Amino acid sequence: MPNRRILSIWFPRLAAERHMRRDPNLAEVPFAVVKDVGQAQVLASLSGLAQAAGLYEGQPLRDAHAMCADLLTRLSNPHAEAAFLGGLHRWAGKFSPWVAREGTDALVLDLTGCSHLFGGEASLAQLIEDECAQLGVSVQLGIADTLGGAWALARFGGQQGADDHNRTGDAIDQEARATRSRAGKRRHWERGGAAPAVFLPAAQGRLRIAAPGQTYDALAPLPIAALRLEAHTSAELSRLGLRRVQDVMRQPRAGLVRRFGRGLVARLDQAIGALPEPVSPAVPPGRFATRLSLPDPIGLEDDVMAALDRMLPRLCASLRTKGRGARTLRLEAYRSDSTMQWMNVTLAKPSDEVDRIRPLLRMKVEDLDAGFGIDMLRLEAVVHEPLHLRTKAGHLEAAAAVRARLEAGNALEDLVGRLGARLGMEAITRVHPADSHIPEKTFVTLAAAWSKPGDDWPDRGRRRPVLIWRPEPVTAPDAPRLPDRFRWRGRIHEIAGLSGPERIAPEWWLDDPNWRSGQRDYWQVITKTGQRLWLFYAHGAAMSSGWFCQGEFA
């Protein structure tokens, strides 16, 4: 069995180069990406010119501007940077099927049995560096038998730990007793604390490969930060004069555990391979797509539908195999003049049935511009959700009732899907009950495509109008008893019948501007013209009292 080989790919300027790829002018000036830390902003990623100016990651922005007045900055966007790293993750999949993300700026590949396909590890590393240079991304590589060794070589390969004769006066055996007693009170590095670590990336062409079985020798001269230790642990080791990996490895393990805990020894064992550290790749997202290349360009609507009739069953079969249902599909039409038109179709309910998806595609194909002819079609389920299988059980009548209910539900969802294809899914809404005694707050409006019909409406014992609007003033005497006539919307209305009142008090724990007129007495009023209105009398509070109309019954 071949030796396990791990490749660590570190992108030291990932966040900054994401902006520089979009705006090449940023590469000509010192540039940095900043992030918020507490109440201050610090540098999170630097360009080459900014690093050459003496700036470093973690430096406060105000100090950076004092050192480099021409510095340009952009605010960090973790989501966009994660998406950028995701693109590099997919790109690295061509070198090994076992790829995992490491933090926010690195990838790890298991090269076991793969490097010979590219002419060896050195050729593979050179190929990755060349392709990253073409992509405009800085990269540092490390290859070793362990994940910890590859990580260390990628970030610290070629660097040497500080020699004993070059100590800065921080070692504990160089200090006087009185100085040692004050060592724990030091805070700033200018007063004797640990100096900030500044790591300058090496040149693009430097290869950092530890031969099989030589990981220990490759890690020995590196600084102790190569062991992925916490900052305070590295600082304590440096103050004790242990500045290189080999210095730590020579110490008794029992003493290290007593003073620094098991974390330090675990990192040592992971680096040299005594403690296993597996590479856990991310599960690839499920992709469901099919395409059809045509021998001759087509342009008729019937021809496009004939092509979809061949593609759609294959797509639904692949969805059904994985227990998924398409929620949003994308149809891409590639024309013979190297142009492409695409359109989305959204279903009200995820489905893997051809008969439910085809009518929606038919509506969209009518708007398809064939141009000089379409020579390839591609259909992809860009949004898909799990489907839960239903098992029919019981006697024939129960099974028939279940089928009727399911078919009725599908018919409604199909209608929502057709309307949404024309008007947009956001325009199709339904109401659900809400927990409130305020009339206009007893329901919430939800998108019909992403909600189920509300069937748990509470029985409040009072009828509510079909239409409810914002209260409109009614001209009537300012008294709790409604007169025989009132004026509303410029017309005189005579009362033929009424029922009420129903008193509703405002939510005292909320300051609702619409209820500052105090408690209300609601009346159901029938006019002589046949209108059934919902009027109320506001008794007055922060606002004056009076009569208002808020709804109409069917």
Side-chain angles (χ1 to χ4, degrees):
M1 180 178 179
N3 292 330
R4 185 170 182 251
R5 301 293 287 171
I6 304 298
L7 167 64
S8 177
I9 306 178
W10 180 39
F11 306 100
R13 302 189 180 103
L14 182 71
E17 288 172 340
R18 183 183 71 86
H19 291 277
M20 293 163 62
R21 282 165 49 90
R22 300 177 60 183
D23 186 1
N25 295 326
L26 295 177
E28 302 176 0
V29 295
F31 172 71
V33 174
V34 300
K35 64 180 180 181
D36 296 327
V37 177
Q39 301 296 325
Q41 289 186 330
V42 299
L43 305 186
S45 181
L46 308 173
S47 66
L49 294 178
Q51 202 166 33
L55 307 182
Y56 57 90
E57 294 184 12
Q59 183 179 19
L61 180 59
R62 60 180 183 273
D63 297 346
H65 277 302
M67 295 177 59
C68 182
D70 299 332
L71 178 66
L72 295 181
T73 61
R74 296 288 188 274
L75 192 62
S76 176
N77 187 341
H79 296 287
E81 294 162 10
F84 186 30
L85 184 61
L88 295 173
H89 187 174
R90 294 189 295 271
W91 160 80
K94 66 181 180 179
F95 302 112
S96 171
W98 213 254
V99 185
R101 298 190 189 188
E102 187 179 23
T104 59
D105 57 357
L107 299 174
V108 178
L109 287 73
D110 192 335
L111 295 181
T112 306
C114 299
S115 58
H116 70 280
L117 301 175
F118 303 91
E121 294 176 350
S123 300
L124 173 60
Q126 190 62 48
L127 175 61
I128 294 176
E129 289 185 342
D130 293 341
E131 293 196 8
C132 287
Q134 295 175 3
L135 294 173
V137 179
S138 301
V139 65
Q140 291 182 219
L141 309 176
I143 301 179
D145 295 337
T146 63
L147 192 155
W151 187 95
L153 292 175
R155 290 157 178 78
F156 300 94
Q159 298 185 21
Q160 300 290 330
D163 296 330
D164 292 343
H165 61 275
N166 291 329
R167 295 182 181 178
T168 61
D170 295 332
I172 198 68
D173 57 356
Q174 289 183 273
E175 299 180 358
R177 179 175 302 176
T179 306
R180 291 199 300 268
S181 65
R182 296 192 299 270
K185 302 179 181 179
R186 295 173 178 165
R187 296 182 179 179
H188 199 273
W189 65 274
E190 293 179 347
R191 301 173 183 173
V198 181
F199 303 111
L200 297 178
Q204 283 282 99
R206 178 180 297 172
L207 301 181
R208 304 166 179 201
I209 302 176
Q214 303 297 322
T215 302
Y216 180 93
D217 297 335
L219 297 181
L222 300 184
I224 57 173
L227 294 176
R228 297 177 294 173
L229 303 176
E230 297 179 357
H232 65 87
T233 303
S234 298
E236 283 294 322
L237 290 171
S238 297
R239 293 179 65 81
L240 293 175
L242 305 177
R243 291 176 168 81
R244 291 177 290 187
V245 175
Q246 62 184 3
D247 298 337
V248 180
M249 291 180 176
R250 293 170 182 171
Q251 302 303 315
R253 299 169 66 88
L256 294 176
V257 172
R258 284 196 301 270
R259 180 152 189 171
F260 300 101
R262 298 183 59 86
L264 172 59
V265 177
R267 286 302 190 186
L268 278 173
D269 292 341
Q270 289 175 346
I272 63 178
L275 184 64
E277 188 176 9
V279 176
S280 301
V283 178
R287 303 183 68 88
F288 302 93
T290 181
R291 68 177 182 178
L292 180 64
S293 297
L294 304 169
D296 295 313
I298 61 174
L300 298 179
E301 181 179 336
D302 293 339
D303 294 340
V304 175
M305 290 305 303
L308 289 176
D309 288 338
R310 299 181 60 183
M311 300 168 59
L312 193 56
R314 296 203 304 264
L315 179 63
C316 291
S318 61
L319 287 168
R320 196 174 300 111
T321 302
K322 298 294 185 180
R324 312 289 293 185
R327 168 72 80 166
T328 302
L329 295 100
R330 174 179 296 169
L331 175 62
E332 300 175 356
Y334 293 85
R335 306 188 185 99
S336 56
D337 57 352
S338 300
T339 60
M340 187 267 286
Q341 180 183 357
W342 60 271
M343 52 187 62
N344 286 346
V345 174
T346 301
L347 284 78
K349 183 179 180 181
S351 175
D352 58 358
E353 301 177 8
V354 176
D355 295 337
R356 297 189 60 194
I357 300 176
R358 189 182 186 278
L360 302 181
L361 290 174
R362 178 82 185 198
M363 299 173 64
K364 287 294 186 179
V365 168
E366 298 175 358
D367 302 330
L368 184 63
D369 183 10
F372 293 99
I374 299 172
D375 53 14
M376 190 182 76
L377 290 171
R378 184 174 183 270
L379 185 63
E380 180 183 4
V382 293
V383 179
H384 46 84
E385 300 175 5
L387 289 180
H388 303 286
L389 298 179
R390 296 180 176 90
T391 302
K392 298 181 176 65
H395 50 81
L396 296 179
E397 290 78 6
V402 171
R403 283 197 300 270
R405 186 170 64 252
L406 293 178
E407 290 175 0
N410 290 342
L412 176 60
E413 302 299 341
D414 292 342
L415 175 62
V416 172
R418 291 190 179 94
L419 294 176
R422 290 294 187 187
L423 306 177
M425 281 298 179
E426 293 77 10
I428 314 300
T429 60
R430 59 165 55 105
V431 294
H432 274 235
D435 187 12
S436 178
H437 70 281
I438 302 300
E440 58 268 24
K441 295 182 181 181
T442 55
F443 63 91
V444 293
T445 303
L446 303 177
W450 290 275
S451 62
K452 296 181 180 180
D455 54 358
D456 54 347
W457 289 89
D459 185 10
R460 303 182 184 275
R462 297 282 186 173
R463 295 185 58 190
R464 291 289 181 261
V466 177
L467 298 178
I468 295 181
W469 51 73
R470 294 179 63 86
E472 298 178 359
V474 172
T475 303
D478 189 1
R481 185 67 181 176
L482 190 65
D484 296 336
R485 305 174 63 186
F486 63 90
R487 185 180 184 87
W488 174 61
R489 291 185 176 179
R491 294 176 54 189
I492 300 296
H493 298 267
E494 296 184 2
I495 298 177
L498 57 85
S499 63
E502 176 190 357
R503 176 160 294 184
I504 299 179
E507 297 171 328
W508 54 267
W509 58 92
L510 296 177
D511 183 15
D512 191 346
N514 297 324
W515 281 76
R516 290 178 178 174
S517 57
Q519 60 185 6
R520 303 174 180 178
D521 290 340
Y522 280 87
W523 297 79
Q524 297 182 27
V525 176
I526 303 176
T527 65
K528 291 185 177 182
T529 58
Q531 285 184 287
R532 300 174 60 88
L533 302 178
W534 204 35
L535 276 63
F536 70 84
Y537 177 76
H539 288 265
M543 298 177 62
S544 59
S545 60
W547 284 94
F548 298 86
C549 181
Q550 194 177 359
E552 183 175 3
F553 293 87

